[in-house]
Amino acid sequence: MPELPEVETVMRGLKPVLEGARLDTVRAYVPKLRVDLPKDFEKRLNGNRVTQLSRRSKYILIECEDGLVAILHLGMSGRVSIHGAGTDQPERAKHDHVTLRTEQGDLVIYNDTRRFGLIVFSDQASVQDHPLIKDIGPEALGNAFNTDHLWTALQKRKSPIKSTLLDQKVVAGLGNIYVCEALWRAGIHPARRSDHVTRQEVEILVPLIRDVLNEAIAAGGSTLKDYAQVSGELGYFQHSFKAYGREGEPCLGDGCQARMERIVQSNRSTFFCPSCQT
DNA sequence: CGGCCAACCTGTGCGC
DNA sequence: TGCGCACAGGTTGGCC
């Protein structure tokens, strides 16, 4: 998926188009993504007015005036494109699964090759208690994600630090790319047992996690492979990773002569420097 | 509960 | 252009 920076970028791109807008024509072309779409999907959204967009972890929350909240997750390959009123509005493309048109004439298309994304309904009063939301840990960019919190979580775990940072119950928003990047910056080996990371290292790691996420958001989200951010003026950006995808290439650490390596941890690729990361 | 793995899908790239 | 396999940014459910 899109990780936190990409989801944040998509949410920010959708905000000016959807917030305050009344939905005019809502269509679903498939019965399910990763899970079934709500049975009354089109009916509940059509004619509704969007009041607020927000993000929780990698979920985009779309609140409507009648209290309905649509919870959107982009999975691995979900993309959102916006086609402004008065511009050419494309024919339905392969893997376009959901379209929203506003009364102003803006068109929002959800495209998801692998259909690992999802859209479910909740309501304003109980969305924080929704099963998908309720166990999520503190936002990586929020104040509640701090040294104490991460340190406490790490003490309870023997699994590799990489796996723990991917656990959304520990910290919300990190994914495979930014965990690799943050651990490289912090000089921590991804296979190190969580409970063997020192408190001093956690103090270094937490702000580095924030840095890498903030830099990616500032860059408009990274554009990579099958993920493309095309929501209007935010545009494209080429973000160059220091660790992710750099197997066999020189480590970019100061004065480091080593080459980056790739290992597989719980079926996910991890990229790291065998010299800088201990 | 912690930890691991398969499953959910489609597409792409590489070796033969 | 064919076949088979590995791999891709995520999350869940089942099992030990």
Side-chain angles (χ1 to χ4, degrees):
Chain A
M1 135 184 247
E3 305 181 28
L4 186 154
E6 291 75 28
V7 178
E8 178 70 18
T9 301
V10 168
M11 191 274 290
R12 290 184 188 181
L14 284 173
K15 233 175 207 283
V17 172
L18 289 184
E19 262 185 9
R22 192 171 296 283
L23 300 175
D24 185 59
T25 314
V26 177
R27 298 237 43 196
Y29 297 95
V30 289
K32 61 172 290 188
L33 295 169
R34 199 181 85 215
V35 301
D36 287 349
L37 289 174
K39 291 284 172 268
D40 49 358
F41 179 74
E42 296 178 359
K43 189 186 293 187
R44 289 291 310 273
L45 288 174
N46 210 352
N48 220 333
R49 195 176 69 87
V50 176
T51 51
Q52 192 164 42
L53 258 69
S54 57
R55 179 188 58 74
R56 175 73 174 108
S57 189
K58 300 170 191 172
Y59 295 96
I60 292 173
L61 307 182
I62 304 171
E63 292 179 42
C64 297
E65 64 181 354
D66 68 347
L68 179 73
V69 179
I71 302 174
L72 166 67
H73 194 288
L74 304 177
M76 293 278 263
S77 56
R79 308 185 311 177
V80 172
S81 59
I82 297 167
H83 308 269
T87 67
D88 283 348
Q89 306 221 323
E91 294 294 299
R92 182 176 165 228
K94 198 172 188 183
H95 308 305
D96 283 353
H97 302 311
V98 171
T99 61
L100 312 173
R101 190 184 304 274
T102 68
E103 271 187 353
Q104 288 86 346
D106 294 319
L107 176 65
V108 174
I109 300 177
Y110 178 71
N111 179 292
D112 186 353
T113 306
R114 298 175 71 182
R115 275 178 277 130
F116 283 174
L118 63 82
I119 305 175
V120 296
F121 284 164
S122 182
D123 60 83
Q124 212 160 23
S126 62
V127 66
Q128 296 307 321
D129 298 320
H130 190 281
L132 291 173
I133 305 285
K134 68 175 178 18
D135 293 326
I136 293 175
E139 285 290 321
L141 294 177
N143 292 333
F145 178 62
N146 52 36
T147 301
D148 282 341
H149 169 80
L150 183 55
W151 171 252
T152 303
L154 293 183
Q155 298 321 296
K156 298 173 191 161
R157 299 181 180 241
K158 300 181 184 358
S159 52
I161 179 70
K162 160 99 184 305
S163 310
T164 302
L165 292 175
L166 283 175
D167 186 339
Q168 304 298 302
K169 291 194 270 304
V170 172
V171 52
L174 288 177
N176 206 36
I177 289 178
Y178 296 109
V179 167
C180 290
E181 296 299 311
L183 288 174
W184 178 82
R185 290 189 184 200
I188 300 171
H189 196 293
R192 182 117 60 94
R193 269 174 58 149
S194 299
D195 59 353
H196 289 180
V197 177
T198 69
R199 186 171 173 106
Q200 190 173 15
E201 286 175 316
V202 175
E203 277 176 14
I204 294 167
L205 177 60
V206 167
L208 289 176
I209 288 172
R210 287 219 182 82
D211 287 350
V212 72
L213 295 175
N214 279 322
E215 288 168 27
I217 291 171
S222 42
T223 300
L224 170 69
K225 293 185 178 171
D226 60 336
Y227 180 80
Q229 160 59 34
V230 285
S231 49
E233 60 202 277
L234 288 171
Y236 293 82
F237 184 85
Q238 284 266 344
H239 186 84
S240 66
F241 302 121
K242 301 278 181 41
Y244 187 83
R246 299 197 63 251
E247 180 184 17
E249 294 174 39
C251 173
L252 298 174
D254 238 23
C256 183
Q257 299 296 307
R259 287 183 179 274
M260 300 295 289
E261 293 184 3
R262 172 183 173 272
I263 55 173
V264 175
Q265 296 177 283
S266 39
N267 265 325
R268 317 286 312 269
S269 287
T270 303
F271 300 88
F272 70 103
C273 172
S275 176
C276 297
Q277 295 177 254
T278 59

mmCIF file of all heavy atoms in Angstrom, chain A residues 56-59 131-139 168-173:
data_model
loop_
_atom_site.group_PDB
_atom_site.id
_atom_site.type_symbol
_atom_site.label_atom_id
_atom_site.label_comp_id
_atom_site.label_asym_id
_atom_site.label_seq_id
_atom_site.Cartn_x
_atom_site.Cartn_y
_atom_site.Cartn_z
ATOM 1 N N ARG A 56 -6.791 8.007 9.413
ATOM 2 C CA ARG A 56 -6.391 7.305 10.628
ATOM 3 C C ARG A 56 -5.557 6.130 10.173
ATOM 4 O O ARG A 56 -6.074 5.254 9.454
ATOM 5 C CB ARG A 56 -7.629 6.840 11.406
ATOM 6 C CG ARG A 56 -7.309 5.986 12.625
ATOM 7 C CD ARG A 56 -6.718 6.828 13.758
ATOM 8 N NE ARG A 56 -6.558 6.028 14.971
ATOM 9 C CZ ARG A 56 -5.376 5.631 15.443
ATOM 10 N NH1 ARG A 56 -4.250 5.949 14.814
ATOM 11 N NH2 ARG A 56 -5.311 4.930 16.558
ATOM 12 N N SER A 57 -4.264 6.121 10.552
ATOM 13 C CA SER A 57 -3.350 5.115 10.043
ATOM 14 C C SER A 57 -3.397 5.154 8.516
ATOM 15 O O SER A 57 -3.240 6.219 7.934
ATOM 16 C CB SER A 57 -3.701 3.737 10.605
ATOM 17 O OG SER A 57 -2.708 2.801 10.274
ATOM 18 N N LYS A 58 -3.661 4.049 7.860
ATOM 19 C CA LYS A 58 -3.698 4.065 6.399
ATOM 20 C C LYS A 58 -5.131 4.098 5.878
ATOM 21 O O LYS A 58 -5.370 3.809 4.701
ATOM 22 C CB LYS A 58 -2.944 2.853 5.858
ATOM 23 C CG LYS A 58 -1.475 2.816 6.287
ATOM 24 C CD LYS A 58 -0.806 1.513 5.950
ATOM 25 C CE LYS A 58 0.553 1.418 6.626
ATOM 26 N NZ LYS A 58 1.150 0.067 6.468
ATOM 27 N N TYR A 59 -6.056 4.421 6.747
ATOM 28 C CA TYR A 59 -7.454 4.533 6.343
ATOM 29 C C TYR A 59 -7.824 5.988 6.088
ATOM 30 O O TYR A 59 -7.437 6.876 6.857
ATOM 31 C CB TYR A 59 -8.382 3.984 7.432
ATOM 32 C CG TYR A 59 -8.231 2.495 7.662
ATOM 33 C CD1 TYR A 59 -7.407 2.008 8.672
ATOM 34 C CD2 TYR A 59 -8.911 1.577 6.866
ATOM 35 C CE1 TYR A 59 -7.262 0.643 8.886
ATOM 36 C CE2 TYR A 59 -8.772 0.213 7.074
ATOM 37 C CZ TYR A 59 -7.941 -0.244 8.079
ATOM 38 O OH TYR A 59 -7.801 -1.600 8.278
ATOM 39 N N PRO A 131 -14.178 -2.240 14.253
ATOM 40 C CA PRO A 131 -13.159 -3.292 14.348
ATOM 41 C C PRO A 131 -11.876 -2.990 13.575
ATOM 42 O O PRO A 131 -10.789 -3.382 14.008
ATOM 43 C CB PRO A 131 -13.856 -4.520 13.750
ATOM 44 C CG PRO A 131 -15.311 -4.254 13.930
ATOM 45 C CD PRO A 131 -15.510 -2.775 13.916
ATOM 46 N N LEU A 132 -11.987 -2.300 12.470
ATOM 47 C CA LEU A 132 -10.784 -1.996 11.690
ATOM 48 C C LEU A 132 -9.956 -0.892 12.333
ATOM 49 O O LEU A 132 -8.770 -0.741 12.030
ATOM 50 C CB LEU A 132 -11.172 -1.542 10.275
ATOM 51 C CG LEU A 132 -11.777 -2.588 9.359
ATOM 52 C CD1 LEU A 132 -12.261 -1.939 8.072
ATOM 53 C CD2 LEU A 132 -10.770 -3.687 9.049
ATOM 54 N N ILE A 133 -10.583 -0.107 13.184
ATOM 55 C CA ILE A 133 -9.945 1.101 13.711
ATOM 56 C C ILE A 133 -9.534 0.966 15.170
ATOM 57 O O ILE A 133 -8.509 1.511 15.592
ATOM 58 C CB ILE A 133 -10.931 2.305 13.595
ATOM 59 C CG1 ILE A 133 -11.409 2.482 12.157
ATOM 60 C CG2 ILE A 133 -10.321 3.588 14.155
ATOM 61 C CD1 ILE A 133 -10.411 3.089 11.224
ATOM 62 N N LYS A 134 -10.321 0.207 15.923
ATOM 63 C CA LYS A 134 -10.229 0.342 17.383
ATOM 64 C C LYS A 134 -8.900 -0.120 17.986
ATOM 65 O O LYS A 134 -8.495 0.414 19.029
ATOM 66 C CB LYS A 134 -11.408 -0.376 18.057
ATOM 67 C CG LYS A 134 -11.424 -1.887 17.939
ATOM 68 C CD LYS A 134 -12.580 -2.412 18.756
ATOM 69 C CE LYS A 134 -12.818 -3.905 18.734
ATOM 70 N NZ LYS A 134 -11.778 -4.793 18.298
ATOM 71 N N ASP A 135 -8.223 -1.064 17.361
ATOM 72 C CA ASP A 135 -6.977 -1.567 17.955
ATOM 73 C C ASP A 135 -5.719 -0.913 17.391
ATOM 74 O O ASP A 135 -4.605 -1.307 17.722
ATOM 75 C CB ASP A 135 -6.890 -3.088 17.766
ATOM 76 C CG ASP A 135 -7.960 -3.814 18.557
ATOM 77 O OD1 ASP A 135 -8.312 -3.334 19.652
ATOM 78 O OD2 ASP A 135 -8.462 -4.845 18.069
ATOM 79 N N ILE A 136 -5.909 0.065 16.546
ATOM 80 C CA ILE A 136 -4.757 0.726 15.937
ATOM 81 C C ILE A 136 -4.026 1.569 16.983
ATOM 82 O O ILE A 136 -4.644 2.241 17.798
ATOM 83 C CB ILE A 136 -5.211 1.613 14.761
ATOM 84 C CG1 ILE A 136 -5.756 0.736 13.627
ATOM 85 C CG2 ILE A 136 -4.056 2.462 14.248
ATOM 86 C CD1 ILE A 136 -6.330 1.543 12.482
ATOM 87 N N GLY A 137 -2.708 1.505 16.941
ATOM 88 C CA GLY A 137 -1.885 2.241 17.896
ATOM 89 C C GLY A 137 -1.785 3.713 17.563
ATOM 90 O O GLY A 137 -2.454 4.208 16.649
ATOM 91 N N PRO A 138 -0.942 4.438 18.299
ATOM 92 C CA PRO A 138 -0.802 5.870 18.092
ATOM 93 C C PRO A 138 -0.262 6.203 16.705
ATOM 94 O O PRO A 138 0.554 5.461 16.141
ATOM 95 C CB PRO A 138 0.192 6.299 19.173
ATOM 96 C CG PRO A 138 0.893 5.061 19.587
ATOM 97 C CD PRO A 138 -0.091 3.938 19.390
ATOM 98 N N GLU A 139 -0.714 7.295 16.164
ATOM 99 C CA GLU A 139 -0.241 7.776 14.875
ATOM 100 C C GLU A 139 1.265 8.032 14.943
ATOM 101 O O GLU A 139 1.756 8.664 15.889
ATOM 102 C CB GLU A 139 -0.948 9.088 14.511
ATOM 103 C CG GLU A 139 -2.377 8.911 14.068
ATOM 104 C CD GLU A 139 -2.461 8.238 12.705
ATOM 105 O OE1 GLU A 139 -1.639 8.546 11.831
ATOM 106 O OE2 GLU A 139 -3.352 7.392 12.530
ATOM 107 N N GLN A 168 0.573 -2.460 13.146
ATOM 108 C CA GLN A 168 -0.194 -1.209 13.270
ATOM 109 C C GLN A 168 -0.728 -0.990 14.681
ATOM 110 O O GLN A 168 -1.141 0.118 15.020
ATOM 111 C CB GLN A 168 -1.335 -1.184 12.249
ATOM 112 C CG GLN A 168 -0.873 -1.361 10.812
ATOM 113 C CD GLN A 168 0.049 -0.265 10.329
ATOM 114 O OE1 GLN A 168 -0.319 0.908 10.337
ATOM 115 N NE2 GLN A 168 1.269 -0.625 9.922
ATOM 116 N N LYS A 169 -0.706 -2.040 15.492
ATOM 117 C CA LYS A 169 -1.131 -1.877 16.887
ATOM 118 C C LYS A 169 -0.039 -1.175 17.705
ATOM 119 O O LYS A 169 -0.308 -0.589 18.744
ATOM 120 C CB LYS A 169 -1.461 -3.233 17.521
ATOM 121 C CG LYS A 169 -2.709 -3.881 16.946
ATOM 122 C CD LYS A 169 -3.215 -5.030 17.789
ATOM 123 C CE LYS A 169 -2.617 -6.376 17.390
ATOM 124 N NZ LYS A 169 -2.835 -6.724 15.968
ATOM 125 N N VAL A 170 1.184 -1.269 17.230
ATOM 126 C CA VAL A 170 2.304 -0.626 17.927
ATOM 127 C C VAL A 170 2.448 0.825 17.476
ATOM 128 O O VAL A 170 2.584 1.732 18.302
ATOM 129 C CB VAL A 170 3.612 -1.405 17.674
ATOM 130 C CG1 VAL A 170 4.812 -0.642 18.223
ATOM 131 C CG2 VAL A 170 3.519 -2.792 18.300
ATOM 132 N N VAL A 171 2.443 1.007 16.172
ATOM 133 C CA VAL A 171 2.516 2.365 15.630
ATOM 134 C C VAL A 171 1.761 2.380 14.300
ATOM 135 O O VAL A 171 1.895 1.464 13.494
ATOM 136 C CB VAL A 171 3.977 2.856 15.473
ATOM 137 C CG1 VAL A 171 4.821 1.874 14.698
ATOM 138 C CG2 VAL A 171 4.023 4.236 14.837
ATOM 139 N N ALA A 172 0.962 3.410 14.106
ATOM 140 C CA ALA A 172 0.059 3.456 12.961
ATOM 141 C C ALA A 172 0.656 4.201 11.789
ATOM 142 O O ALA A 172 1.032 5.373 11.916
ATOM 143 C CB ALA A 172 -1.266 4.109 13.365
ATOM 144 N N GLY A 173 0.767 3.513 10.665
ATOM 145 C CA GLY A 173 1.101 4.196 9.425
ATOM 146 C C GLY A 173 2.343 3.712 8.721
ATOM 147 O O GLY A 173 2.527 3.972 7.537
#
